[in-house]
Amino acid sequence: MRTKWLFNLQLAFTLLVCAFLIVPVILSIMAGLTVNYLVGIESGLTLRWVMEVWNGYRNTIFLSIGISLACLVVTLLIGIPTAYVLARRQSALSRAIEELLVMPVAVPGLATALALIVTYGSLSGFRTSWGFILVGHVLFTLPFMVRSVLAVLMAIDLNTLEEGAASLGASWWRRFRDIVLPNCRAGILAGSLMVVTLSMGEFNMTWLLHTPFTKTLPVGLADAYASLRLEIGSAYTLVFFLMIMPLLLALQAFAQPRLKKFVAEDNAQ
């Protein structure tokens, strides 16, 4: 009886926390779908505000998608080899480099943006291009790619696998392509989803790095709310929600099979 009462109390607390977090999002989205948010759903539903967001801010959506995909490509090209080297060269220096890679995450995004502006702000062509924002996003998301891949590589006996392949005459590139990449595929996928999701929603750094011609989706969202048009801002929130949720669900779906695999291995042992 006491156990059931305790379970009900914990369930009620969990539902209360979920409601506290989710209800404001739902109300914000509904404001973007109603004719008059002051009246509420009784005023009727409409897609007018969503269409206004699409007509006025679709460039920010396409730019965010492009920057996120470009950020993914760069972090893959840099992050996977970096994780491989760190996994092969376990030393005090490699651990120090691993910690330094986390600095852009620990340092506030505004500070990183100011550092980039001070360093590269004089390059006018670069400063006003979307590539300037891409550099900031790569600095912010690269640690997540490296950590994801490194965690998988550290969980396997990489040296033994490579030595076995080398003894059979495999070159370095073939060992990297046929042994390293397949074994760290799970980390690459997890890191890729995190990079795209974080790049899509990054605001603090982008707020200082953007120009009127390089507004990303979160910056456009802030502008929509700053214009005091709550319907537009709420509809923009809905668009952002529809773009980011599939990535979050994919990340969750990917993590679930790995969790079941680890549980099965523990039970077998």
Side-chain angles (χ1 to χ4, degrees):
M1 187 66 181
R2 182 181 178 182
T3 303
K4 184 178 180 180
W5 178 84
L6 182 60
F7 171 78
N8 291 334
L9 183 62
Q10 292 173 339
L11 179 61
F13 178 75
T14 302
L15 293 177
L16 183 62
V17 172
C18 290
F20 180 78
L21 296 175
I22 296 174
V23 169
V25 177
I26 295 176
L27 292 178
S28 176
I29 291 175
M30 289 305 299
L33 294 175
T34 54
V35 176
N36 188 337
Y37 76 93
L38 294 176
V39 177
I41 197 171
E42 296 177 358
S43 64
L45 299 177
T46 179
L47 293 177
R48 172 190 171 186
W49 313 120
V50 176
M51 294 307 300
E52 287 196 23
V53 168
W54 178 253
N55 293 329
Y57 295 97
R58 62 175 176 268
N59 291 336
T60 68
I61 298 173
F62 292 134
L63 180 61
S64 287
I65 294 174
I67 291 178
S68 298
L69 294 178
C71 184
L72 174 60
V73 172
V74 175
T75 52
L76 285 173
L77 294 176
I78 300 177
I80 296 176
T82 301
Y84 172 69
V85 172
L86 293 176
R88 286 295 307 270
R89 309 289 183 183
Q90 285 296 305
S91 63
L93 178 59
S94 64
R95 287 191 293 271
I97 294 175
E98 184 179 348
E99 295 302 324
L100 287 174
L101 286 173
V102 187
M103 287 297 292
V105 179
V107 174
L110 293 177
T112 304
L114 286 173
L116 290 174
I117 291 173
V118 170
T119 306
Y120 303 110
S122 59
L123 304 176
S124 58
F126 180 58
R127 173 67 182 89
T128 56
S129 70
W130 62 267
F132 194 56
I133 299 176
L134 175 62
V135 172
H137 283 206
V138 170
L139 288 175
F140 177 67
T141 59
L142 182 60
F144 296 94
M145 176 64 74
V146 174
R147 285 298 184 98
S148 298
V149 178
L150 183 60
V152 175
L153 291 178
M154 294 298 293
I156 62 176
D157 192 353
L158 184 61
N159 290 331
T160 301
L161 292 175
E162 285 201 280
E163 288 174 1
S167 65
L168 297 175
S171 62
W172 176 87
W173 168 245
R174 189 168 183 181
R175 296 197 304 270
F176 183 79
R177 183 192 64 188
D178 297 338
I179 295 178
V180 177
L181 292 180
N183 277 284
C184 66
R185 180 173 53 191
I188 293 174
L189 180 57
S192 298
L193 290 172
M194 292 181 68
V195 166
V196 174
T197 303
L198 292 171
S199 177
M200 192 83 69
E202 208 293 317
F203 172 76
N204 291 333
M205 185 186 305
T206 311
W207 179 252
L208 282 184
L209 297 181
H210 86 283
T211 67
F213 301 102
T214 56
K215 288 182 180 180
T216 62
L217 199 151
V219 175
L221 177 60
D223 286 349
Y225 276 108
S227 67
L228 301 181
R229 292 293 304 278
L230 187 61
E231 304 94 336
I232 302 296
S234 297
Y236 208 129
T237 301
L238 174 61
V239 173
F240 183 80
F241 185 79
L242 293 176
M243 291 181 61
I244 210 70
M245 276 306 297
L247 297 175
L248 296 178
L249 292 175
L251 184 61
Q252 182 68 23
F254 168 73
Q256 197 67 23
R258 293 184 65 193
L259 179 60
K260 293 180 180 179
K261 178 181 177 182
F262 292 148
V263 171
E265 290 178 351
D266 291 340
N267 293 334
Q269 293 175 356

